[in-house]
Amino acid sequence: MFTLSIEDFCLENIAESGQCFRMTKETDGSYTAVAGGRVVNIAEIRPQRFRFSCAKAAFEGFWKNYFDLGTDYAAFRAQVPPEDLFLHAAFKAARGMRILRQEPWETLISFILSQRKSIPAIRSCVEALCRRFGTGIAGTAAYAFPTPAALARASIAELKECALGYRAPYVKKTAEIIAEGAFSLDRAEELPDEALLEALKELPGVGVKVASCAMLFGFHRTAAFPRDVWILRVENEEYGGRFPDERYPGCAGVLQQYMFFFARQRQYREWRLSRDQG
DNA sequence: AACCAGGGGTACC
DNA sequence: GGTACCCATGGT
């Protein structure tokens, strides 16, 4: 256990941002994250001052990278031109958002089962999969995300018991393809963005949007710009149909996450009303 | 209690 | 290359 000062790091905004599904709020206001077969609890004991439950070595060896704490997020905001009022409002509303460096496998499966589900529903689905097919993490009550082999072994009926519905075959087939080695996530890491997108789209249940989410959140390809229903609304309401992602080479995906977060807030509706009247 | 959710596959044209 | 329609199920 140790404490640390960190700028641009908001546990709540990250946990509620819909990029990860295994970060939960505790009754004391702290957050517990499960990733990479590890568990950590983080409390903001005063503004920008955080207490980590793990050892310093585990932080340096894993969590620091996981939470992308080596990246200066103020530099992203600085790229936004003053006239883009929406994006500036989004940066204000989603202060402390970061793009986590999650594992490709877990991210891929999580977003395959995300389709036509709300974020709370995705969380409970993922948790059910972990409890049923993952292995327990020693010294904690948490379960690791199941391996490709474990999900490939699962029956469709078992997967449906985790509320996967019609997505159960997608998850099973993708797990089989990866467990067999017909698709290597390690080799996929070497592909350039466009080739990676096309490769991911070959997997069952993976279209442009799911592939983009896996790229952004699992492969940390920050140029990937996932377009879901919320982003499409924002593009129509704020950008005349299409966000100019080419204006932000290599980091449009980061901005996308701020946009997504703000678009879902009630305060966006109010912000838009007051803007349209003034 | 209806409504909608970080969409993809398929059958058309 | 676009579009209409279906797909299960939970959270609000």
Side-chain angles (χ1 to χ4, degrees), chain A residues 63-79:
Chain A
W63 295 110
K64 182 178 180 180
N65 176 68
Y66 179 79
F67 288 109
D68 198 28
L69 297 182
T71 300
D72 174 19
Y73 276 72
F76 296 124
R77 184 179 201 160
Q79 293 189 33

mmCIF file of all heavy atoms in Angstrom, chain A residues 63-79:
data_model
loop_
_atom_site.group_PDB
_atom_site.id
_atom_site.type_symbol
_atom_site.label_atom_id
_atom_site.label_comp_id
_atom_site.label_asym_id
_atom_site.label_seq_id
_atom_site.Cartn_x
_atom_site.Cartn_y
_atom_site.Cartn_z
ATOM 1 N N TRP A 63 0.050 -1.846 -12.969
ATOM 2 C CA TRP A 63 -1.073 -0.899 -12.931
ATOM 3 C C TRP A 63 -0.752 0.463 -13.521
ATOM 4 O O TRP A 63 -1.620 1.114 -14.117
ATOM 5 C CB TRP A 63 -1.583 -0.752 -11.493
ATOM 6 C CG TRP A 63 -2.174 -2.018 -10.979
ATOM 7 C CD1 TRP A 63 -1.656 -2.839 -10.009
ATOM 8 C CD2 TRP A 63 -3.388 -2.654 -11.427
ATOM 9 N NE1 TRP A 63 -2.466 -3.931 -9.826
ATOM 10 C CE2 TRP A 63 -3.535 -3.844 -10.678
ATOM 11 C CE3 TRP A 63 -4.359 -2.338 -12.378
ATOM 12 C CZ2 TRP A 63 -4.619 -4.710 -10.854
ATOM 13 C CZ3 TRP A 63 -5.434 -3.193 -12.560
ATOM 14 C CH2 TRP A 63 -5.551 -4.366 -11.797
ATOM 15 N N LYS A 64 0.472 0.896 -13.377
ATOM 16 C CA LYS A 64 0.851 2.198 -13.947
ATOM 17 C C LYS A 64 0.613 2.207 -15.454
ATOM 18 O O LYS A 64 0.073 3.169 -16.010
ATOM 19 C CB LYS A 64 2.318 2.504 -13.640
ATOM 20 C CG LYS A 64 2.788 3.846 -14.151
ATOM 21 C CD LYS A 64 4.243 4.097 -13.762
ATOM 22 C CE LYS A 64 4.710 5.458 -14.288
ATOM 23 N NZ LYS A 64 6.125 5.707 -13.900
ATOM 24 N N ASN A 65 1.000 1.121 -16.088
ATOM 25 C CA ASN A 65 0.771 0.999 -17.532
ATOM 26 C C ASN A 65 -0.712 0.787 -17.825
ATOM 27 O O ASN A 65 -1.245 1.384 -18.763
ATOM 28 C CB ASN A 65 1.593 -0.168 -18.078
ATOM 29 C CG ASN A 65 1.328 -0.395 -19.556
ATOM 30 O OD1 ASN A 65 1.686 0.416 -20.392
ATOM 31 N ND2 ASN A 65 0.683 -1.528 -19.873
ATOM 32 N N TYR A 66 -1.380 -0.039 -17.028
ATOM 33 C CA TYR A 66 -2.793 -0.337 -17.262
ATOM 34 C C TYR A 66 -3.628 0.945 -17.284
ATOM 35 O O TYR A 66 -4.485 1.124 -18.161
ATOM 36 C CB TYR A 66 -3.309 -1.288 -16.185
ATOM 37 C CG TYR A 66 -4.770 -1.628 -16.335
ATOM 38 C CD1 TYR A 66 -5.194 -2.568 -17.270
ATOM 39 C CD2 TYR A 66 -5.732 -1.007 -15.544
ATOM 40 C CE1 TYR A 66 -6.533 -2.876 -17.424
ATOM 41 C CE2 TYR A 66 -7.081 -1.310 -15.682
ATOM 42 C CZ TYR A 66 -7.476 -2.244 -16.620
ATOM 43 O OH TYR A 66 -8.800 -2.537 -16.771
ATOM 44 N N PHE A 67 -3.367 1.824 -16.335
ATOM 45 C CA PHE A 67 -4.131 3.082 -16.278
ATOM 46 C C PHE A 67 -3.525 4.174 -17.164
ATOM 47 O O PHE A 67 -3.952 5.324 -17.116
ATOM 48 C CB PHE A 67 -4.249 3.556 -14.836
ATOM 49 C CG PHE A 67 -5.192 2.723 -14.008
ATOM 50 C CD1 PHE A 67 -4.713 1.878 -13.006
ATOM 51 C CD2 PHE A 67 -6.560 2.759 -14.239
ATOM 52 C CE1 PHE A 67 -5.586 1.095 -12.253
ATOM 53 C CE2 PHE A 67 -7.434 1.984 -13.487
ATOM 54 C CZ PHE A 67 -6.945 1.144 -12.494
ATOM 55 N N ASP A 68 -2.525 3.815 -17.943
ATOM 56 C CA ASP A 68 -1.928 4.732 -18.923
ATOM 57 C C ASP A 68 -1.402 5.996 -18.250
ATOM 58 O O ASP A 68 -1.559 7.104 -18.780
ATOM 59 C CB ASP A 68 -2.949 5.092 -20.020
ATOM 60 C CG ASP A 68 -2.276 5.667 -21.269
ATOM 61 O OD1 ASP A 68 -1.110 5.315 -21.530
ATOM 62 O OD2 ASP A 68 -2.920 6.467 -21.971
ATOM 63 N N LEU A 69 -0.787 5.833 -17.086
ATOM 64 C CA LEU A 69 -0.379 6.996 -16.300
ATOM 65 C C LEU A 69 0.879 7.668 -16.835
ATOM 66 O O LEU A 69 1.281 8.721 -16.340
ATOM 67 C CB LEU A 69 -0.197 6.588 -14.825
ATOM 68 C CG LEU A 69 -1.486 6.098 -14.155
ATOM 69 C CD1 LEU A 69 -1.237 5.752 -12.696
ATOM 70 C CD2 LEU A 69 -2.597 7.137 -14.278
ATOM 71 N N GLY A 70 1.482 7.082 -17.848
ATOM 72 C CA GLY A 70 2.655 7.722 -18.447
ATOM 73 C C GLY A 70 2.313 8.702 -19.556
ATOM 74 O O GLY A 70 3.213 9.304 -20.142
ATOM 75 N N THR A 71 1.019 8.860 -19.831
ATOM 76 C CA THR A 71 0.589 9.726 -20.933
ATOM 77 C C THR A 71 0.058 11.056 -20.406
ATOM 78 O O THR A 71 -0.686 11.088 -19.416
ATOM 79 C CB THR A 71 -0.500 9.018 -21.764
ATOM 80 O OG1 THR A 71 0.036 7.809 -22.299
ATOM 81 C CG2 THR A 71 -0.983 9.913 -22.899
ATOM 82 N N ASP A 72 0.441 12.130 -21.066
ATOM 83 C CA ASP A 72 -0.014 13.478 -20.707
ATOM 84 C C ASP A 72 -1.325 13.789 -21.429
ATOM 85 O O ASP A 72 -1.331 14.065 -22.626
ATOM 86 C CB ASP A 72 1.068 14.497 -21.087
ATOM 87 C CG ASP A 72 0.586 15.934 -20.879
ATOM 88 O OD1 ASP A 72 -0.403 16.132 -20.134
ATOM 89 O OD2 ASP A 72 1.198 16.853 -21.446
ATOM 90 N N TYR A 73 -2.432 13.736 -20.697
ATOM 91 C CA TYR A 73 -3.735 13.931 -21.340
ATOM 92 C C TYR A 73 -4.062 15.398 -21.594
ATOM 93 O O TYR A 73 -4.925 15.711 -22.419
ATOM 94 C CB TYR A 73 -4.836 13.229 -20.541
ATOM 95 C CG TYR A 73 -4.925 11.765 -20.913
ATOM 96 C CD1 TYR A 73 -3.938 10.871 -20.511
ATOM 97 C CD2 TYR A 73 -5.953 11.292 -21.726
ATOM 98 C CE1 TYR A 73 -3.978 9.540 -20.896
ATOM 99 C CE2 TYR A 73 -6.005 9.959 -22.111
ATOM 100 C CZ TYR A 73 -5.018 9.089 -21.688
ATOM 101 O OH TYR A 73 -5.066 7.779 -22.085
ATOM 102 N N ALA A 74 -3.388 16.295 -20.918
ATOM 103 C CA ALA A 74 -3.609 17.714 -21.207
ATOM 104 C C ALA A 74 -3.189 18.033 -22.632
ATOM 105 O O ALA A 74 -3.733 18.941 -23.272
ATOM 106 C CB ALA A 74 -2.823 18.568 -20.212
ATOM 107 N N ALA A 75 -2.256 17.253 -23.157
ATOM 108 C CA ALA A 75 -1.785 17.497 -24.523
ATOM 109 C C ALA A 75 -2.872 17.196 -25.553
ATOM 110 O O ALA A 75 -2.898 17.804 -26.620
ATOM 111 C CB ALA A 75 -0.551 16.637 -24.802
ATOM 112 N N PHE A 76 -3.757 16.270 -25.238
ATOM 113 C CA PHE A 76 -4.866 15.980 -26.168
ATOM 114 C C PHE A 76 -5.826 17.167 -26.227
ATOM 115 O O PHE A 76 -6.239 17.598 -27.295
ATOM 116 C CB PHE A 76 -5.608 14.721 -25.745
ATOM 117 C CG PHE A 76 -4.771 13.471 -25.810
ATOM 118 C CD1 PHE A 76 -4.605 12.674 -24.692
ATOM 119 C CD2 PHE A 76 -4.152 13.089 -26.996
ATOM 120 C CE1 PHE A 76 -3.831 11.515 -24.749
ATOM 121 C CE2 PHE A 76 -3.383 11.940 -27.065
ATOM 122 C CZ PHE A 76 -3.217 11.151 -25.940
ATOM 123 N N ARG A 77 -6.157 17.647 -25.060
ATOM 124 C CA ARG A 77 -7.075 18.785 -24.996
ATOM 125 C C ARG A 77 -6.513 19.989 -25.743
ATOM 126 O O ARG A 77 -7.242 20.749 -26.367
ATOM 127 C CB ARG A 77 -7.324 19.147 -23.528
ATOM 128 C CG ARG A 77 -8.322 20.236 -23.342
ATOM 129 C CD ARG A 77 -8.528 20.511 -21.854
ATOM 130 N NE ARG A 77 -9.796 21.177 -21.597
ATOM 131 C CZ ARG A 77 -10.389 21.189 -20.426
ATOM 132 N NH1 ARG A 77 -9.865 20.533 -19.417
ATOM 133 N NH2 ARG A 77 -11.531 21.811 -20.263
ATOM 134 N N ALA A 78 -5.202 20.148 -25.657
ATOM 135 C CA ALA A 78 -4.554 21.300 -26.284
ATOM 136 C C ALA A 78 -4.685 21.277 -27.803
ATOM 137 O O ALA A 78 -4.522 22.302 -28.460
ATOM 138 C CB ALA A 78 -3.083 21.348 -25.888
ATOM 139 N N GLN A 79 -4.977 20.104 -28.364
ATOM 140 C CA GLN A 79 -5.107 20.000 -29.818
ATOM 141 C C GLN A 79 -6.460 20.476 -30.325
ATOM 142 O O GLN A 79 -6.650 20.662 -31.526
ATOM 143 C CB GLN A 79 -4.915 18.542 -30.266
ATOM 144 C CG GLN A 79 -3.518 18.019 -30.049
ATOM 145 C CD GLN A 79 -3.315 16.666 -30.707
ATOM 146 O OE1 GLN A 79 -3.886 16.385 -31.746
ATOM 147 N NE2 GLN A 79 -2.504 15.828 -30.074
#
